[in-house]
Amino acid sequence: MKNLRFYYRMRLTFDQPVKEHDFALRFVPYSDSVQRIDIAGKTVEPADWLQEERDAFGNHLYIGRCSRPHDYFMYEVKGTAKVDAGCRVKEPCRECYAYPSKLTAGEPEVKRFLENVCLPDGGAFEKACILMQRLYDVFAYEPGATDIYTTAGEALRGGRGVCQDYAHIFIALCRQCRIPARYVAGLQIGEGATHAWAEIYEDGMWKGFDPTHNRFVDDVYIKLSHGRDYTDCILDRGIFYGQANQEQEIYVNVEEIV
């Protein structure tokens, strides 16, 4: 088990005021069998009102609105997490995690990838390990090579992408092998930005894989949300009236504490 202190901030700056800004945020981690979260503070501004809900996948969802003109929007959360990946418990698996989604479809590139991988007759965990290693060997990390709409097949065709693409490809491969898998957005120890990884379902439990770093998810990861793919886990989504350009700044810090 590790004790982690986390801080996550996102700020949008508009070059001219906008208004009638509706938003939906998944920026607050929640407690489960693996992570026990203690929130020290959270801020969303400007906001006329803010409502906390749970989305269809059980993630914390904050819905709000700012009607008045504003030239920035920000949210932040800080707190501590006790994380113990060894405390997973058995739970049901929703059927949707066994089937392709829009960003994890069984496109030709995904199927060709599988044709070149020799998988054993063993269990899901062993197959997933081989798929993660093979993906890590042939796919390159390159920011800007893809965007949030890039599918697993498109990313494979280009041969490069970011953590979102690694997760989508890995999930697509697992689902083609009849291994239920889901997308995870969250924080990882260190300083930088948010991260994405995946979980597979085996023996009644979800087990985390980080294909970007070719490693298993352990006690240095904090989950914010999970779903079928990125579109179920978007950390901030909004719409506003105005012709403004915007700049985004994200800062994440996760450190181990005694």
Side-chain angles (χ1 to χ4, degrees), residues 7 10 65 80 96 103 105 128:
Y7 177 72
M10 193 288 299
R65 181 174 231 258
T80 58
C96 63
L103 297 178

Side-chain angles (χ1 to χ4, degrees), residues 97-169:
Y97 295 130
Y99 299 100
S101 62
K102 181 177 180 179
L103 297 178
T104 63
E107 298 170 274
E109 294 85 356
V110 173
K111 294 178 179 179
R112 279 197 295 270
F113 184 100
L114 284 173
E115 291 173 357
N116 295 317
V117 180
C118 182
L119 292 176
D121 294 328
F125 187 83
E126 184 179 359
K127 291 179 180 177
C129 289
I130 294 173
L131 292 173
M132 181 169 69
Q133 179 65 62
R134 178 62 177 163
L135 175 58
Y136 185 77
D137 289 341
V138 303
F139 199 72
Y141 186 89
E142 183 179 312
T146 56
D147 60 35
I148 60 173
Y149 306 106
T150 303
T151 67
E154 291 168 344
L156 267 178
R157 190 185 316 141
R160 57 199 67 243
V162 293
C163 58
Q164 174 181 311
D165 303 298
Y166 279 90
H168 280 155
I169 296 168

Side-chain angles (χ1 to χ4, degrees), residues 57-72:
F57 299 94
N59 307 307
H60 278 314
L61 178 64
Y62 291 82
I63 300 173
R65 181 174 231 258
C66 181
S67 298
R68 62 190 185 275
H70 54 285
D71 59 9
Y72 80 96

